């Protein structure tokens, strides 16, 4: 598949395939299947120079669709979180991983409250 064919297939996935099947929800697996590749092959294509940006843009669009579904109560937030971690590279931020400056104020808070 070349880049032009990929762009056409991506457009067809969103503008035709998803629009014609009201029960189909945009996701990585259905997108990969539509392209005729596996999920793993799709993720590999994302790291390739020729296809990476197009795949990333399509994945972002899929994530946006699912996020709106969650915001509108059509899919549970837990399902969205699981999907984003597994298919879109999102990670939980642990307390120890937070960035920024920590400010410690020493003193007697009781006196300050007067």
């Amino acid at each position: 598949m070349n880049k032009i064919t990929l762009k056409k297939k991506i457009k067809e996935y969103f503008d035709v395939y998803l629009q014609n099947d009201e029960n189909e929800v945009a996701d990585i697996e259905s997108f990969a299947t539509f392209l005729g590749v596996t999920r793993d092959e799709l993720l590999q294509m994302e790291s390739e120079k020729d296809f990476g940006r197009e795949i990333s843009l399509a994945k972002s669009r899929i994530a946006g669709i699912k996020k709106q579904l969650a915001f509108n109560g059509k899919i549970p937030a837990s399902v969205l979180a699981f999907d984003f971690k597994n298919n879109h590279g999102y990670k939980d931020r642990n307390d120890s991983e937070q960035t920024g400056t920590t400010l410690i104020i020493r003193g007697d808070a009781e006196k300050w409250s007067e």
Side-chain angles (χ1 to χ4, degrees), residues 66-83:
K66 286 192 244 179
K67 195 173 183 181
Q68 290 304 310
L69 290 172
F71 285 162
N72 290 298
K74 296 186 179 175
I75 61 172
S78 59
V79 171
L80 179 70
F82 180 81
D83 182 74

Side-chain angles (χ1 to χ4, degrees), residues 98-105:
Q98 289 184 0
T99 59
T101 304
T102 302
L103 176 63
I104 300 173
I105 300 175

Side-chain angles (χ1 to χ4, degrees), residues 30-95:
S30 76
F31 177 55
T33 302
F34 182 81
L35 294 177
V37 299
T38 67
R39 177 186 176 279
D40 290 338
E41 290 169 332
L42 179 70
L43 297 178
Q44 178 60 41
M45 288 171 67
E46 187 177 16
S47 67
E48 295 175 9
K49 181 183 176 200
D50 292 339
F51 303 118
R53 178 154 172 76
E54 301 307 320
I55 299 295
S56 290
L57 287 170
K59 283 179 59 181
S60 292
R61 188 168 175 188
I62 290 169
I65 290 167
K66 286 192 244 179
K67 195 173 183 181
Q68 290 304 310
L69 290 172
F71 285 162
N72 290 298
K74 296 186 179 175
I75 61 172
S78 59
V79 171
L80 179 70
F82 180 81
D83 182 74
F84 273 31
K85 288 180 203 175
N86 286 296
N87 292 316
H88 299 279
Y90 287 70
K91 297 177 183 166
D92 286 329
R93 182 183 298 179
N94 295 330
D95 289 342

